[in-house]
Amino acid sequence: MKSIDTILHSDAGKAQFIRFVLNGCFAASVHYAVYFLLQLFIEVNVSYAIGYIVSFIINYITTTYFTFHATPSIKKFIGFCGSHGVNFLLHIVLFWCCMQLGINRYIAPIIVMGIAMLVQFAILHLIFKPNTNNK
């Protein structure tokens, strides 16, 4: 398994990481746009949830084709879902740790997001890039 450091020191890895960040920004924008439009007509929690679901589906598609130039599959989709579950738990645990350490509540999310983004990228790299070393 390649470390995040190894991945980011190759030109291909750097390019994937840049696409990953751009894709994350796009997915967040889709989530917000769907939420913003729907909340004009339906309850805000429902519109937020629908925005998340739409963003999640689009994020899987763009992660597959744009970020990793891969072919979609059920196995990759399940891995993608699992990686988001791990990412969510990581956010909760890291945020709690930051609060316990007395880190400012406005700074803590930035630290958490930075760490979680690197972990998420490493997990998705494993999911979307099959091992080519068939020994």
Side-chain angles (χ1 to χ4, degrees), residues 14 19-20 27-28 42 50 53 55 61 64 68-69 75-76 79 83 85 87 93 110-111 116 118 133:
K14 287 177 189 172
R19 291 191 306 267
F20 172 79
I42 61 177
I50 292 170
I53 292 166
S55 172
I61 294 166
T64 302
F68 293 105
H69 302 289
K75 183 178 178 182
K76 288 175 185 164
S83 76
N87 193 32
V93 170
I110 297 167
I111 295 167
L118 293 173
N133 298 332

Side-chain angles (χ1 to χ4, degrees), residues 69-130:
H69 302 289
T71 303
S73 70
I74 295 297
K75 183 178 178 182
K76 288 175 185 164
F77 182 72
I78 291 169
F80 184 80
C81 292
S83 76
H84 277 269
V86 169
N87 193 32
F88 176 75
L89 291 175
L90 185 62
H91 271 261
I92 298 304
V93 170
L94 289 175
F95 187 78
W96 180 85
C97 289
C98 285
M99 294 296 97
Q100 296 306 306
L101 292 170
I103 296 173
N104 182 284
R105 66 181 178 164
Y106 300 112
I107 302 298
I110 297 167
I111 295 167
V112 170
M113 287 178 198
I115 294 168
M117 177 179 54
L118 293 173
V119 172
Q120 179 78 345
F121 178 71
I123 292 170
L124 289 175
H125 189 271
L126 290 173
I127 292 167
F128 286 94
K129 286 293 184 187

